């Protein structure tokens, strides 16, 4: 299916998520066909590589798109699609970093695996303090959080080999080499790195539709993120017991979370017992696609349906935001994938997480598990 795109800044998109729509600065919202977008990029944002492409499903727009001439200097006869009125965020099926001269991959509305992968990679790029080009993709870096592997890693969606991954990790100075592999032959590259001593784990991208009115959703509520901090801290201290500088590590893993809300709309959901948060999860809304992250329950409170309540509330929030797709990631070899499968999530695709054999334990994966890492 043909899509339209709108080129803008991450800040403008984040404001639109709060407003529910991207509003025109003049009489219309300027859209482009994918093959045209380089023209407004060169004219309005020369040299910029920190922009985003909003991938728009024309069928979800509230009104017709009018094709009109651009500006003097555009190729003869070229016409651009204009939307006279607000662009609903629910019409945006993906948000793709725009980093010319790299050709962006634009998933179609029905490309469930593509939309799931795009959200996972795009959030990390938009949130990063620094983005560097490497063979086969990019490196995202954040010196404020060197203990967070989610904020310091390679994101490789192009063709690479094991040696190239190792060199790139060293060249960019990752605090601890870790990479997401999603390009051609990712499984072969992961196996090659495993033979070199790296840990390689397959991550399943699982998806389902958002849904309102699920049983148990009323037991979970949206809370200020600070209310969840004690649960996170307890979990990380348990999982990372014995790690040198544990206090500093935990402080970083908590402190990093505020930055995700600067690029997507974050909703923290919790269940209380006796006034204390005992279960929590997070929903990240990015237009018509939402991601469930960090579902966890205090060990002493498990077996009471709290995880179901958190998940149901997240799916309800996604439906209310106009999302048609909810995604998450789960390790292929771990039990949570089966828990989510019983709740309607199906496997749409997979990536590989590879981690070098030396350095400190992994801390902070951003992967949906029973306890946050």
């Amino acid at each position: 299916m043909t899509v339209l795109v709108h080129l803008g800044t991450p800040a403008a998109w984040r404001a639109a998520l709060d407003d529910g729509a991207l509003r025109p600065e003049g009489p219309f919202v300027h859209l482009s066909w994918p093959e045209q977008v380089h023209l407004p990029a060169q004219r309005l944002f020369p040299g910029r590589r920190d922009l985003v492409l909003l991938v728009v499903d024309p069928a979800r727009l509230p009104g017709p798109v009018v094709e009109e001439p651009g500006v003097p200097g555009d190729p003869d006869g070229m016409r651009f699609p204009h939307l006279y009125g607000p662009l609903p965020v629910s019409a945006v099926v993906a948000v793709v970093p725009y980093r010319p001269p790299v050709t962006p991959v634009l998933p179609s509305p029905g490309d469930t695996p593509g939309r799931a992968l795009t959200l996972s990679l795009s959030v990390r790029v938009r949130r990063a303090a620094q983005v560097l080009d490497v063979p086969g993709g990019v490196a995202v870096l954040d010196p404020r959080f060197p203990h967070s592997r989610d904020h310091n890693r390679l994101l490789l969606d192009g063709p690479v080999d094991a040696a190239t991954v190792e060199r790139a990790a060293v060249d960019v100075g990752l605090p601890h080499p870790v990479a997401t592999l999603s390009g051609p032959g990712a499984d072969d590259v992961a196996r090659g790195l495993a033979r070199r001593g790296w840990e390689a784990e397959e991550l399943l991208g699982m998806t389902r539709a958002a849904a309102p009115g699920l049983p148990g959703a009323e037991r979970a509520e949206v809370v200020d993120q600070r209310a969840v901090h004690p649960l996170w801290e307890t979990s990380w201290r348990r999982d990372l017991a014995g790690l040198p500088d544990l206090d500093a590590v935990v402080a970083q893993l908590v402190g990093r979370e505020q930055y995700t809300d600067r690029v997507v709309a974050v909703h923290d959901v919790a269940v209380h017992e006796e006034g204390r948060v005992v279960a929590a999860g997070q929903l990240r809304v990015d237009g018509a696609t939402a991601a469930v992250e960090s579902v966890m329950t205090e060990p002493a409170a498990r077996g009471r349906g709290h995880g179901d309540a958190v998940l149901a509330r997240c799916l309800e929030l996604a439906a209310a935001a106009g999302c048609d797709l909810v995604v998450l990631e789960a390790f292929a070899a771990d039990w949570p994938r089966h828990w989510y499968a019983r709740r309607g999530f199906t496997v749409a695709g997979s990536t590989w997480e590879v981690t070098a054999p030396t350095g400190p334990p992994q801390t902070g994966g951003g992967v949906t598990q029973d306890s946050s890492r």
Side-chain angles (χ1 to χ4, degrees):
M1 179 179 181
T2 301
V3 296
L4 299 170
V5 294
H6 172 81
L7 180 68
T9 65
W13 171 241
R14 181 63 187 88
L17 287 170
D18 282 341
D19 186 50
L22 183 73
R23 303 193 179 275
E25 295 182 359
F28 53 77
V29 174
H30 191 292
L31 300 171
S32 301
W33 300 108
E35 62 273 14
Q36 298 174 316
V37 73
H38 64 285
L39 295 172
Q42 293 166 357
R43 183 168 61 246
L44 301 174
F45 304 102
R48 294 277 296 270
R49 304 188 74 214
D50 60 341
L51 305 171
V52 292
L53 284 177
L54 308 184
V55 183
V56 178
D57 180 1
R60 306 184 193 203
L61 295 176
V65 171
V66 181
E67 293 212 54
E68 297 176 310
V71 299
D74 285 339
D76 290 342
M78 179 168 284
R79 301 171 73 84
F80 288 87
H82 295 155
L83 176 65
Y84 282 82
L87 170 63
V89 296
S90 58
V92 177
V93 298
V95 181
V96 179
Y98 184 66
R99 294 178 56 79
V102 178
T103 301
V105 178
L106 308 178
S108 66
D111 180 8
T112 297
R115 289 174 60 184
L117 177 61
T118 295
L119 179 57
S120 175
L121 300 181
S122 175
V123 168
R124 287 162 166 156
V125 172
R126 286 181 274 158
R127 184 184 58 194
Q130 186 179 15
V131 183
L132 302 176
D133 293 312
V134 298
V138 298
V140 293
L141 300 167
D142 197 325
R144 296 166 298 187
F145 310 112
H147 291 291
S148 172
R149 68 179 184 179
D150 205 37
H151 289 68
N152 298 275
R153 66 168 53 219
L154 304 175
L155 304 174
L156 306 178
D157 58 357
V160 292
D161 56 29
T164 299
V165 176
E166 288 187 321
R167 283 195 302 270
V170 172
D171 289 345
V172 301
L174 288 177
H176 184 60
V178 59
T180 298
L181 306 176
S182 59
D187 50 349
D188 289 334
V189 179
R191 284 191 286 269
L193 286 164
R195 288 191 292 270
R196 293 168 177 251
W198 287 52
E199 180 182 3
E201 297 181 278
E202 187 179 15
L203 275 173
L204 302 179
M206 304 184 72
T207 65
R208 64 155 287 168
L214 293 175
E218 71 283 352
R219 295 173 46 215
E221 60 180 316
V222 178
V223 299
D224 185 287
Q225 189 175 96
R226 289 170 293 185
V228 186
H229 287 178
L231 182 64
W232 289 349
E233 291 172 359
T234 300
S235 174
W236 282 321
R237 288 184 180 279
R238 182 177 61 248
D239 292 346
L240 304 174
L243 187 70
D245 301 322
L246 181 60
D247 289 344
V249 173
V250 171
Q252 284 186 25
L253 298 183
V254 172
R256 68 183 181 171
E257 291 299 325
Q258 62 180 300
Y259 292 93
T260 301
D261 189 61
R262 299 185 184 185
V263 297
V264 294
V266 172
H267 306 275
D268 287 282
V269 174
V271 174
H272 292 80
E273 282 187 355
E274 299 179 354
R276 186 170 56 86
V277 172
V278 296
Q282 188 176 93
L283 184 77
R284 300 175 180 178
V285 176
D286 202 25
T289 313
V292 173
E293 293 277 349
S294 302
V295 176
M296 59 192 311
T297 302
E298 186 180 86
R302 292 175 184 167
R304 302 172 193 168
H306 294 335
D308 279 301
V310 167
L311 183 59
R313 186 76 169 106
C314 287
L315 293 171
E316 183 177 85
L317 289 169
C323 301
D324 69 317
L325 183 65
V326 180
V327 307
L328 59 84
E329 292 179 319
F331 285 111
D334 209 353
W335 65 264
R337 62 168 295 192
H338 304 293
W339 189 86
Y340 288 107
R342 292 194 295 271
R343 285 147 183 86
F345 284 86
T346 59
V347 176
S350 69
T351 61
W352 285 85
E353 175 122 336
V354 291
T355 308
T358 59
Q362 299 176 18
T363 54
V367 176
T368 303
Q369 298 284 15
D370 185 64
S371 60
S372 182
R373 303 199 322 166

